[in-house]
Amino acid sequence: MPLCVNTFRIQSDSTNRAGSCSKSNYRLNLSSYCGGLLVLVWSIYLERTEMESYLNENFGDVKAKNSSEEALQRWRKLCGFVKNRKRRFRFTANLSKRFEAEAIRRSNQEKLRVAVLVSQAALQFINGLNLSNEYTVPEEVEGAGFQICPDELGSIVEGHDIKKFTIHGGTKGIAEKLSTSISNGISTSDQLFNKRKEIYGINKFTESPVRGFWLFVWEALQDMTLMILAVCALVSLVVGIIMEGWPKGAHDGLGIVASILLVVLVTATSDYKQSLQFKDLDKEKQKIAVQVARDGIRQKISIYDLLPGDIVHLSIGDQVPADGLFISGFSLLINESSLTGECEPVNVNALNPFLLSGTKVQDGSCKMLVTTVGMRTQWGKLMATLSEGGDDETPLQVKLNGVATLIGKIGLFFAVLTFAVLVQGLYSHKLQEGTQWTWSGDDVMEILESFAVAVTIVVVAVPEGLPLAVTLSLAFAMKKMMNDKALVRHLAACETMGSATSICSDKTGTLTTNHMTVVKACICEEIKEISNSKGSLGSSIPAPALEILLQSIFNNTGGEVVKGEGNKTEILGTPTETALLEFGLLLGGDFQAERQASKIVKVEPFNSVKKRMGVVLELPEGGYRAHSKGASEIILARCVKLLNQDGEIVPLDEAAVNYLKNTIDQFANEALRTICLAFMEIGDEFSAEAPIPTNGYTCIGIVGIKDPVRRGVKESVAICRSAGITVRMVTGDNINTAKAIARECGILTDDGIAIEGPEFREKNDEELSALIPKIQVMARSSPMDKHMLVKHLRTTLKEVVAVTGDGTNDAPALHEADIGLAMGIAGTEVAKESADVIILDDNFSTIVTVAKWGRSVYVNIQKFVQFQLTVNVVALIVNFSSACLTGDTPLTAVQLLWVNMIMDTLGALALATEPPSDDLMKRSPVGRKGNFIDNIMWRNILGQSVYQFLVVWYLQTRGEAVFCLDGPDSKLILNTVIFNTFVFCQVFNEISSREMQKINVFKGILKNYVFVAVLTCTVLFQVVIIQFLGTFANTYPLNLQQWFVSVLLGFLGMPIAAVLKLIPVGSC
């Protein structure tokens, strides 16, 4: 059946004239469109050669983390041509709010400096004065059952006011006025609990209110080009109604208005959903638990549930959750840099008892009394400001802003040329007719339509959605990663993880389960297997040795044995401490009895630099005894004696040293973590200010702690290796333990090297450059060893490095790495704050999942960029070349707005939300040097652009003959076919873009419900536009043959895409 259609009455005089008279002067020929094709190829070539260098030169200063303020300011200034600044820069850092926060920090620093000086001066006079209490308790506070108001409490701590502190009776006196117990904490059962909230407030800072949907609609309307089009629509309405009356004269104007509203509503809906996702993620980031005493029971609660009067237990790495006062503790060092910018740590003790919210425990431990919470603290005010500062923009966001800016300038240039050509064509036509001095309403409408087309070319040409697609993809990935137990704190980490080439992982709790138990012990020169029968083991150890062993376990510890709910025994502390305390209980020991029998005089908490912990006890019979525990070979090297088989203290001879070293190696080769326990008598005098002795100890024994390898770790390491990611284990454990675990995990291979930290740090730069690529295990490492390893990997070997960390001292390495990964369970708050991603289940397999999602984000954005640039190039060149060669454009303003929505918001939804596939982990990583828009993408863009351009050219030159079109409506029908074909080219190109290298693009397509929904809606709405909205969209209902040809020509783009993928190109 011939592809002929019946002709119909023309719909308007202007369309009739456009279809016959004025266009009769322009005839297409092959040479003209060959010229257009050359313009297309040349423009893509120029983009290919110039874009990457332009982007690197002007937008390459912004890094994944720690970018300078100058770099952040610079790229913003370069983005001069932006259609909608509110939308474009919504998910970028608010630099003005950051400057405001920095001003608050400087103010805090000055206030605290003055307060400290005043309190020091006051201390010199205060003891000799009779201080009078002039404070009057407000009636509402006294009526609620308290004796001090929140403002008074705030002034004491924030102002470091030692005078008021003393007047109110010190920490104990203030605790009484807050109706709390220093030992048992507040009671949650009485009426005071609710009144406490009413009087003192809650521990939350003011957050910016959730932005409503209509605010996003308003922001979407701020688009400059849409506003110009709205003005065009208004003029078109007025002129059209005057010329042709209502409703016929209003069709063109109403069509543009409806298109604008549709674009705005779809854009606003997408942006609104993104904002809700980020809001949910922000809530997850703020979930911090803290140990408190309430109702006489130690328990974990959210920091947001804290109230004045709560007794909080803090240890190294914790964040101080509210303003408060020191009750008791040891060697407490507080880092106040987050609040004041001052890096020098502050000693907090009974003489300087003030603890400020938001500061970090750098060393030591303590109990504190909460006095001030929420917005009454300086930290609350600072956080309220910082929360509005936003995250740093990611490198991809910045680069794609650069792409949008560059293409926008090109589009603006072509839009101006197009408008000039169209107006010149109209003027030439009138000149030929001799009517150049007579202008009718139809002429005004044609100029207005030409202007609208030019403006719409800018709408289509400026890929405003590129940087926003990054945000959409990151938001989608972050939400899904949350379900996979990974909390992304910084947007950039999500995209950077996709380029990772090296992972430096901790052993304990990451590769292993972190469920530790003592399974072997060498006590009194005898190795014992540990069973679960309580007390049976203790009977086999000589009484004097057992007494010393229990005293060491229960006093030299950072953990506690407490009574929980239901009077159940609970062990609190790190997994290592918990294992040792469980061992002590199995020996028949009593934690509370041991703690009460001796007085702890000094504590040096464990940290990863010293690799040991020590305490000094004042014994009930008089004298002092020091206990030390830690890395076996380190503690053993400090011992000069040991307990023999009879529990007697004897000199540590060479044979005994060799026996103990062999025992350590035996335990370590069985993948056991070894801990050595030792003690020494230090006489009758000891000052708490003096350091704990480091040598002269008596070895009590060595314990072997089992920490099984996590299920699935070996498989995850193998996946990393196939993905081109090198996994290195960095641990503080014994080298034999580390090697045994590394072999079990598949990390240590025959050609790999295991090295100890002390040996590593002795190497020079040249030796390190040759050694580091071969290192697979680093044992007995310090945090600075880890930092040095990461720095060399990044700077010398140019690798993209991910690092795990859980301790306070890991913060430098986490900060230095491209991606810092903190442990959610074992990690300290300091480590979590320095990290980019928090691994909520402390599992190495989750790190691999993060890498897979990172690659997915990177590839998804590449897919969308490839798809959008193809539409950009073709729409721009088609309209421009048609305007130059025919004096007309085949795509009208309304049609271009619809195409813009397909490629922008809908395209981003479809392609930027593809879930990751296992195939992603079979590719090599992009690394640090890879170009984002690579040769593969340019190949696909060029091939598809040329094909689509040729299709449009063929339809414009041969369409009327092919479809047997004649009559007044022939031009309108042909333009409708061209529009329909162009849209279906994009639909099938969108499917082809799911895979940039593989031919099978349908794999897993039905699992991506978003993609299927977007594609379905696009096709259905296209049918509605063609068949039913012709009056507004300048289309004509097509018959089945015309529909078939349109869809077929669009579909042929898929085999073209498949053939293109067979053409080999480099990946750079």
Side-chain angles (χ1 to χ4, degrees), residues 372-385:
T372 316
V373 294
M375 290 302 292
R376 296 182 187 275
T377 66
Q378 281 300 321
W379 180 247
K381 295 167 188 172
L382 181 62
M383 285 303 293
T385 305

Side-chain angles (χ1 to χ4, degrees), residues 1019-1031:
V1019 172
L1020 289 176
F1021 201 73
Q1022 178 66 14
V1023 172
V1024 172
I1025 288 174
I1026 297 296
Q1027 298 299 118
F1028 306 107
L1029 297 179
T1031 307

Side-chain angles (χ1 to χ4, degrees), residues 775-1000:
I775 292 177
Q776 293 176 340
V777 176
M778 187 187 292
R780 287 296 180 229
S781 66
S782 70
M784 290 316 296
D785 294 332
K786 184 187 282 190
H787 181 268
M788 187 189 302
L789 173 64
V790 172
K791 190 172 182 180
H792 272 275
L793 283 169
R794 289 187 70 246
T795 57
T796 307
L797 302 179
K798 303 299 181 185
E799 296 208 34
V800 179
V801 187
V803 172
T804 69
D806 54 13
T808 303
N809 291 315
D810 286 326
L814 291 171
H815 189 75
E816 174 69 29
D818 295 288
I819 312 104
L821 305 161
M823 300 299 105
I825 299 170
T828 63
E829 289 306 321
V830 171
K832 291 175 186 176
E833 191 172 272
S834 299
D836 305 295
V837 180
I838 298 174
I839 307 301
L840 298 175
D841 59 357
D842 290 15
N843 193 339
F844 183 81
S845 299
T846 304
I847 298 173
V848 178
T849 303
V850 172
K852 187 194 291 185
W853 271 107
R855 290 190 175 194
S856 177
V857 166
Y858 194 88
V859 170
N860 284 349
I861 296 168
Q862 281 186 314
K863 294 174 186 176
F864 174 66
V865 169
Q866 174 186 296
F867 170 70
Q868 190 172 50
L869 288 184
T870 304
V871 187
N872 279 136
V873 169
V874 178
L876 188 66
I877 301 299
V878 162
N879 266 11
F880 172 70
S881 59
S882 294
C884 291
L885 301 173
T886 72
D888 188 19
T889 56
L891 302 177
T892 65
V894 172
Q895 293 165 2
L896 282 171
L897 283 173
W898 170 234
V899 169
N900 180 65
M901 194 163 70
I902 292 173
M903 74 172 189
D904 196 332
T905 307
L906 296 180
L909 279 171
L911 292 171
T913 57
E914 281 275 352
S917 65
D918 292 336
D919 292 340
L920 287 172
M921 297 304 283
K922 295 175 183 176
R923 304 178 183 177
S924 297
V926 176
R928 199 175 294 280
K929 297 178 182 178
N931 290 332
F932 176 72
I933 305 178
D934 56 22
N935 287 342
I936 292 168
M937 294 172 66
W938 285 118
R939 175 197 66 193
N940 296 340
I941 291 169
L942 178 61
Q944 278 294 321
S945 299
V946 169
Y947 169 71
Q948 291 182 23
F949 183 80
L950 288 174
V951 166
V952 174
W953 164 75
Y954 182 78
L955 288 175
Q956 282 196 286
T957 55
R958 306 293 302 162
E960 290 185 0
V962 169
F963 291 105
C964 303
L965 298 176
D966 55 11
D969 287 334
S970 60
K971 192 65 177 179
L972 179 62
I973 296 169
L974 181 60
N975 281 347
T976 302
V977 172
I978 292 171
F979 167 57
N980 201 37
T981 304
F982 185 72
V983 167
F984 275 97
C985 280
Q986 309 324 316
V987 168
F988 288 105
N989 186 31
E990 199 164 355
I991 298 173
S992 297
S993 295
R994 292 188 71 242
E995 285 288 349
M996 292 188 295
Q997 299 183 60
K998 292 187 176 180
I999 293 175
N1000 182 7

Side-chain angles (χ1 to χ4, degrees), residues 505-761:
S505 173
D506 283 340
K507 175 185 75 68
T508 306
T510 307
L511 300 170
T512 60
T513 61
N514 219 15
H515 297 148
M516 300 190 187
T517 49
V518 176
V519 294
K520 280 190 175 183
C522 178
I523 309 294
C524 299
E525 298 184 284
E526 185 180 347
I527 296 176
K528 302 176 186 294
E529 298 281 345
I530 309 302
S531 66
N532 289 325
S533 53
K534 189 172 182 178
S536 61
L537 180 63
S539 59
S540 65
I541 300 174
L546 180 62
E547 181 184 346
I548 289 290
L549 177 60
L550 291 175
Q551 188 182 71
S552 177
I553 289 173
F554 289 137
N555 286 286
N556 189 18
T557 179
E560 282 188 77
V561 180
V562 299
K563 295 295 181 182
E565 292 185 20
N567 208 32
K568 290 181 181 178
T569 299
E570 290 184 12
I571 301 177
L572 305 175
T574 65
T576 305
E577 296 287 13
T578 301
L580 288 170
L581 289 172
E582 281 180 347
F583 177 53
L585 295 175
L586 283 174
L587 291 170
D590 184 329
F591 178 83
Q592 298 300 337
E594 284 291 344
R595 293 299 282 262
Q596 291 168 11
S598 306
K599 180 184 176 183
I600 297 177
V601 178
K602 185 177 179 67
V603 177
E604 286 184 359
F606 178 87
N607 68 48
S608 50
V609 177
K610 297 180 294 184
K611 301 197 183 302
R612 69 180 190 277
M613 177 183 180
V615 297
V616 174
L617 305 179
E618 185 178 353
L619 303 175
E621 63 271 19
Y624 295 89
R625 180 178 293 158
H627 285 276
S628 185
K629 74 174 181 189
S632 297
E633 60 268 32
I634 292 175
I635 300 299
L636 184 59
R638 301 173 188 279
C639 293
V640 294
K641 302 174 185 176
L642 84 159
L643 295 176
N644 66 9
Q645 293 179 351
D646 299 321
E648 298 172 347
I649 299 174
V650 297
L652 186 63
D653 57 23
E654 186 177 348
V657 168
N658 290 334
Y659 173 76
L660 291 174
K661 284 184 176 179
N662 289 335
T663 300
I664 292 170
D665 289 342
Q666 178 189 333
F667 286 4
N669 289 328
E670 294 174 21
L672 302 182
R673 164 176 272 194
T674 60
I675 303 291
C676 184
L677 307 173
F679 79 101
M680 71 179 293
E681 308 294 345
I682 53 176
D684 296 330
E685 293 185 4
F686 180 79
S687 170
E689 281 72 41
I692 297 176
T694 55
N695 293 298
Y697 283 88
T698 299
C699 178
I700 302 171
I702 294 164
V703 296
I705 300 175
K706 180 70 174 174
D707 187 11
V709 171
R710 286 183 183 273
R711 183 186 297 177
V713 165
K714 189 170 185 177
E715 291 79 4
S716 297
V717 170
I719 289 171
C720 285
R721 187 166 283 120
S722 68
I725 302 172
T726 304
V727 180
R728 294 176 173 87
M729 178 198 288
V730 184
T731 179
D733 268 352
N734 177 289
I735 191 165
N736 291 322
T737 305
K739 286 162 72 173
I741 294 288
R743 286 194 183 96
E744 191 175 345
C745 295
I747 293 173
L748 185 58
T749 59
D750 294 338
D751 55 349
I753 292 175
I755 192 172
E756 289 189 313
E759 182 185 350
F760 174 79
R761 68 182 79 114

